[in-house]
Structures are given as structure tokens and as C-alpha cells.
């Protein structure tokens, strides 16, 4: 029987990765990767060029029967009537819209109470957050797309007036792969834009419980609602067909494009996560995510109630500062990764009383967009390279413990914990994770789980089966260690 190939595409903050995969087994056949430019705003055309380069590195997509795109969430892509990008895309980690987030919260908070809102907080700002959570599962923070379109409406009037469609990074790249794009002479086919409920649920204007856009909230942010938003495709839907010049030229019927999804949801699909599983992902950002069979509404507004790629929900808490905390420690100590690890593991738990609060680029959880990092508890006795290294590793893991505790506080069951991402490759992170996170930690083999999840979704759409195919997950080891609550308690005391 001829091998059937599918491709999973990960258009992340830093790069585009293309994983050509055996549809039956999930085994990687070919792989390619191309970098994106640095910064918190970027021309989407860079993603397109990176996709083409990564696809070429992967040996081309001519023999691929289906593909899917997983992408960085929340990024704002604005298109005009000709399909041209109006301005550079603002990425999830661009915090310029923090004041707009607070304004959107205040506007809902000062609206008159309804008869069924007796349980809401008396403070208008907290009441506004709770109303947003009830409406779309999340309260606005600078990361969410809705705050970014509000910023454009308030600060770039000419650009705002040109907008004919708003989409997300994975939506835009899927649309381009389908053969659409700028057309100065005719129909730009903006109505061919599509997304999925996982990525749409991170916009701030989509209700994943009803699977409907909240155009009233979109209009509140953008001052108009006469724009095209991507159609929300079903989890296993064949949403489009790839441009034959790009993919599927050697496949009868061409290459189908699945719905795609947000990177966190795609990673959970790549990990075969089910209800009771939680993942801690240490990449550019840090993300704790769990699978829930019901929507999650956190009335403290700390946990975002996103959807997943299968029809369930993916409550998660995200930090802007992830594995780059370790990079900052390396820079401070003039050490490479191995040296930093050795230094950290030669210090005692608690780093001799040193505690790093690692909010280098502001923070999303907790919501402190203007914060900076602080190193607390320094004395002449404890300022050593070993303790400083340890404090950076502990600070990273304690920030993720914050996220984990918030999710558990919603009543979400946690039966298995998976540690993934580039930061999980650190020996120091692995050694300290079980004690600080307070749980056994399973370590899946290092792999590209967003791209695997996208490939798995592509295989699902190709097969049109009731459930996604089950591909084996390689767990390298499961780590155990006694919990060291004093480290987290010390961290929480300084974090405030």
C-alpha cells in the first residue's frame, strides 16, 4: 500500500517549521525550518517567505495529501479590500495595547447591571473583567487581538479606515497556501479566509461555547463591524484545497487544507492530550494548559478559557516570560547552558534566600504589562554565581507553578503533567521541576509538537474519521521528587 503523507506547519513567533509525516503512524519523513525576523511586529510576508523556504528544505509538498497550519495566537493581521496587509502584524507579545485592554474592561464594567448579575463584583473594573469572561471566556489583556484592533482604531485612523478583514497568523498563512492573496485588480477572496475555534477563542471577540463571533464586542473595540472575519471551520473539516503550484501536484484530487489552530491547542493535539492531562510548555512564552470537557470561566480573569482543536476546551494560563529567563541568566553570568545548569545544581533549594521575580518583558500572568524583573533577598553571604543561577531556574518554574495553581483552582482535574518546549531540555529545569511544580513530571521526547498536532489534524481531515488518529507518544522518562513548598512560598511572598 502506498504511503500517504500529510504536512504539519508551525508558524511560530520565531520560525516556520514544516514536518512531512506518515499519515498512518505519525512518523516524520522530512523536515524544514526557516527563521522569522525578531520583534513584536512583523510583515506577514516574512511568514510566507519562511513557509516557502521551510517547505523547500522539507523536500517540497508535491506528494502531500493534506496539510494544516498551527500558529502563534492573538497576532493581528489587517487586510484591505485588495487583500494587501494594511500594516505590520502586531504579535501576541506586543504590549502597546495594555491601556486599550483596561479601557475595554472599564467600558463593560460601567454598563448597567442586569437582573442575572447579582454574583458579579461591586468594583466596576473587576465587574468588567467578569463580564468579559462570561462573554468570551477571557478578560482583555494586551496579548489578545481585540486590544490590538482597539489600539489601531485609537491611534492609526487612516489604517483603521482601510481595513476590510481581520485575521490571525495561521488564518492568513492558510489563506495564502490556498492560493489567495493581494489582488489589486479584482476580488481578493477575503470571504475564503477561515480559522478554527481554538485560535478564534484567543481573539477576545469569539464565544467558543456558542461558536459565534461577538460582533458587539468587536464593534466596541474597532468602532465598526463592517469587516470580514474568517469562517470558523470544524475540527476535522477539509476547509480548503492548496494551490497546486505549492502542494499536492502529485496527489489525485490535490492537497486539502485542514482548519488549523492556535499553537497551544495544536501542541495538545500533538501530545495526544485528553481530559485530565496538563502540559507545561517552556518556549518563548510559558504556558500551562489543560483539557476540559466543559468551558472554563475564571471569574478572577487570570485563566483564559480557550477552546482546543477537538471540540473540548483548553483553559490555560500564559506567561510572556518563558525560556528566555534562562537566557537572561546566562547573559548575566556570562555562562553557556551547561555551565548555568552546573551552577544551579550546585546551589541548595531556595538559592540561599535569593528569589527572582522574572517579569523581564512585563507579564501576562499575573497581568502586569509594565513590570520589570526583580532579584530579592540579596546579602553579602548569598550573592554567588551558584545561587544566582539557581534563582533564575527556580523563578522560571515558580512562574509556571503560578499558572498551574490557577488552572487547578477552577476544578480542572490534573492526572498527568507533561513538560515540553525548548526550556524543558535544560537539565536544571528537569531536575527542579517535580519539586517546584509539586507533581511527577513526564518528559515527552523533544519534538515539534505544534507541527505534529497540525499533521495529526491534517490526517484526521483526510480520513474524515470520527476521532483523530492515535499516534504513539514517546515519553523519555517520568521524574519524581519531594515537593519543596518553601521555594514556592518564598517566591509567592516576594511576587505579592
Amino acid at each position: 500500500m502506498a504511503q500517504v503523507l500529510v504536512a504539519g506547519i508551525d508558524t511560530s513567533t520565531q520560525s516556520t517549521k514544516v514536518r512531512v509525516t506518515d499519515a498512518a503512524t505519525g512518523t516524520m519523513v522530512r523536515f524544514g525550518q526557516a527563521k522569522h525576523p525578531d520583534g513584536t511586529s512583523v510583515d506577514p510576508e516574512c511568514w510566507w517567505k519562511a513557509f516557502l523556504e521551510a517547505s523547500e528544505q522539507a523536500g517540497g509538498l508535491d506528494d502531500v495529501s493534506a496539510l494544516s497550519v498551527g500558529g502563534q495566537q492573538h497576532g493581528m493581521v489587517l487586510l484591505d479590500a485588495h487583500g494587501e496587509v494594511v500594516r505590520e502584524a502586531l504579535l501576541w507579545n506586543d504590549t502597546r495595547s495594555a491601556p486599550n485592554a483596561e479601557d475595554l474592561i472599564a467600558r463593560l464594567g460601567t454598563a448597567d447591571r442586569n437582573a442575572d448579575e447579582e454574583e458579579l463584583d461591586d468594583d466596576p473594573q473587576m465587574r468588567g473583567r467578569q463580564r468579559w469572561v462570561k462573554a468570551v471566556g477571557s478578560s482583555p489583556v494586551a496579548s489578545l487581538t481585540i486590544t490590538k484592533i482597539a489600539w489601531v482604531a485609537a491611534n492609526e485612523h487612516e489604517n483603521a479606515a482601510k481595513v476590510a478583514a481581520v485575521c490571525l497568523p495561521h488564518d492568513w498563512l492558510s489563506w495564502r497556501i490556498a492560493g489567495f492573496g493581494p489582488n489589486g485588480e479584482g476580488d481578493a477572496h477575503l470571504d475564503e479566509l477561515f480559522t478554527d475555534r481554538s485560535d478564534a477563542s484567543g481573539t477576545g471577540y469569539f464565544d467558543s461555547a456558542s461558536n459565534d463571533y461577538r460582533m458587539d464586542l468587536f464593534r466596541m473595540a474597532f468602532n465598526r463591524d463592517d469587516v470580514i472575519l474568517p469562517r470558523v471551520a470544524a475540527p476535522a473539516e477539509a476547509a480548503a484545497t492548496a494551490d497546486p503550484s505549492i502542494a499536492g501536484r502529485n496527489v489525485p484530487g490535490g492537497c486539502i487544507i485542514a482548519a488549523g489552530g492556535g499553537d497551544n491547542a495544536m501542541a495538545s493535539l500533538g501530545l495526544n492530550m485528553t481530559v485530565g492531562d496538563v502540559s507545561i510548555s517552556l518556549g518563548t512564552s510559558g504556558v500551562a494548559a489543560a483539557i476540559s470537557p466543559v468551558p472554563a470561566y475564571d471569574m478572577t480573569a487570570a485563566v483564559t478559557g480557550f477552546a482546543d482543536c477537538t471540540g473540548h476546551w483548553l483553559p490555560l494560563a500564559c506567561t510572556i516570560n518563558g525560556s528566555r529567563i534562562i537566557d537572561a541568566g546566562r547573559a548575566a553570568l556570562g555562562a553557556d547552558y551547561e555551565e548555568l545548569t552546573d551552577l544551579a545544581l550546585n546551589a541548595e533549594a531556595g538559592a540561599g534566600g535569593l528569589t527572582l521575580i522574572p517579569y523581564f518583558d512585563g507579564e501576562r500572568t499575573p497581568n502586569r504589562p509594565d513590570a520589570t524583573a526583580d532579584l530579592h533577598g540579596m546579602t553579602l553571604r548569598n550573592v554567588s554565581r551558584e545561587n544566582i543561577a539557581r534563582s533564575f531556574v527556580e523563578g522560571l518554574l515558580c512562574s509556571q507553578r503560578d499558572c498551574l495553581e490557577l488552572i487547578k483552582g477552577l476544578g480542572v482535574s490534573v492526572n498527568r503533567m507533561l513538560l515540553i518546549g525548548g526550556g524543558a531540555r535544560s537539565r536544571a529545569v528537569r531536575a527542579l521541576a517535580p519539586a517546584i511544580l509539586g507533581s511527577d513530571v513526564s518528559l515527552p521526547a523533544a519534538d515539534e509538537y505544534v507541527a505534529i498536532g497540525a499533521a495529526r489534524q491534517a490526517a484526521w481531515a483526510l480520513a474524515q474519521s470520527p476521532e483523530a488518529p492515535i499516534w504513539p507518544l514517546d515519553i523519555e522518562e517520568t521524574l519524581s521528587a519531594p515537593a519543596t513548598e518553601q521555594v514556592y512560598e518564598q517566591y509567592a511572598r516576594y511576587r505579592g
Side-chain angles (χ1 to χ4, degrees), residues 19-98:
R19 188 186 198 270
V20 178
T21 304
D22 185 296
T25 66
T27 302
M28 187 177 78
V29 177
R30 306 189 299 267
F31 183 80
Q33 180 174 355
K35 290 191 65 175
H36 295 166
D38 293 332
T40 62
S41 64
V42 65
D43 181 353
E45 196 65 26
C46 296
W47 305 332
W48 177 246
K49 292 176 181 177
F51 162 72
L52 295 176
E53 181 181 341
S55 298
E56 184 177 356
Q57 283 188 23
L61 301 178
D62 287 2
D63 53 353
V64 168
S65 296
L67 63 83
S68 178
V69 180
Q72 53 174 306
Q73 291 190 259
H74 315 310
M76 177 198 69
V77 182
L78 305 178
L79 302 176
D80 68 14
H82 301 295
E84 297 278 0
V85 173
V86 172
R87 65 164 338 275
E88 287 192 341
L90 295 184
L91 307 189
W92 63 274
N93 54 351
D94 191 300
T95 60
R96 73 184 71 182
S97 61

Side-chain angles (χ1 to χ4, degrees), residues 108-120 127 131 134 214:
L108 273 194
T110 54
D112 291 339
R113 281 181 182 269
N114 297 323
D116 61 347
E117 290 187 325
E118 293 182 2
E119 78 279 12
L120 298 188
R127 187 163 65 246
R131 282 174 168 162
K134 291 181 71 173
R214 287 292 304 266

Side-chain angles (χ1 to χ4, degrees), residues 1-5 22-25 65 462-463:
M1 189 177 202
Q3 184 183 43
V4 177
L5 299 180
D22 185 296
T25 66
S65 296
L462 184 66

Side-chain angles (χ1 to χ4, degrees), residues 3 5 15 22 35-36 39 63 86 100 102 174 203 246 250 287 296 303 345 374 406 414 426 435 447 458 485:
Q3 184 183 43
L5 299 180
S15 66
D22 185 296
K35 290 191 65 175
H36 295 166
D63 53 353
V86 172
N100 305 90
E102 293 303 310
S174 298
T203 61
I246 298 166
N250 297 327
V287 180
V303 177
L345 295 181
D374 293 299
L406 289 167
V414 178
S426 162
D447 213 326
E485 290 300 317

Side-chain angles (χ1 to χ4, degrees), residues 257-463:
I257 306 176
D263 51 2
N264 295 302
M266 279 299 184
S268 72
L269 193 62
L271 290 163
N272 294 337
M273 285 175 60
T274 59
V275 175
D277 289 339
V278 61
S279 64
I280 304 286
S281 177
L282 301 178
T284 306
S285 59
V287 180
I291 303 294
S292 172
V294 295
Y297 297 104
D298 177 17
M299 287 300 146
T300 73
V303 177
T304 51
F306 295 157
D308 79 347
C309 287
T310 70
H312 287 137
W313 281 265
L314 192 76
L316 65 83
C318 177
T319 63
I320 286 177
N321 301 276
S323 60
R324 292 178 300 173
I325 295 168
I326 302 299
D327 293 332
R330 290 177 49 240
L333 295 171
D336 61 22
Y337 287 110
E338 285 303 309
E339 185 179 2
L340 182 82
T341 291
D342 291 340
L343 288 168
L345 295 181
N346 282 329
E348 295 182 354
L354 286 185
T355 299
L356 175 73
I357 307 300
Y359 303 158
F360 289 95
D361 287 336
E363 194 44 84
R364 170 172 167 177
T365 306
N367 183 30
R368 300 177 184 177
D370 299 321
T372 55
D374 293 299
L375 187 60
H376 295 272
M378 287 182 286
T379 69
L380 292 176
R381 294 183 300 278
N382 66 12
V383 176
S384 68
R385 298 182 82 232
E386 290 81 3
N387 283 334
I388 292 172
R390 180 95 179 198
S391 73
F392 274 75
V393 179
E394 290 181 346
L396 168 61
L397 289 168
C398 284
S399 71
Q400 300 313 300
R401 173 73 181 271
D402 274 350
C403 294
L404 178 63
E405 292 301 319
L406 289 167
I407 290 173
K408 290 165 65 176
L410 295 178
V412 175
S413 62
V414 178
N415 302 325
R416 181 177 65 153
M417 186 177 301
L418 303 166
L419 186 64
I420 61 170
R425 299 173 187 174
S426 162
R427 284 191 297 113
V429 168
R430 292 183 176 208
L432 304 188
I436 293 177
L437 296 175
S439 171
D440 290 353
V441 174
S442 295
L443 297 172
D447 213 326
E448 303 294 344
Y449 287 102
V450 175
I452 293 173
R456 188 178 175 213
Q457 186 195 59
W460 188 12
L462 184 66

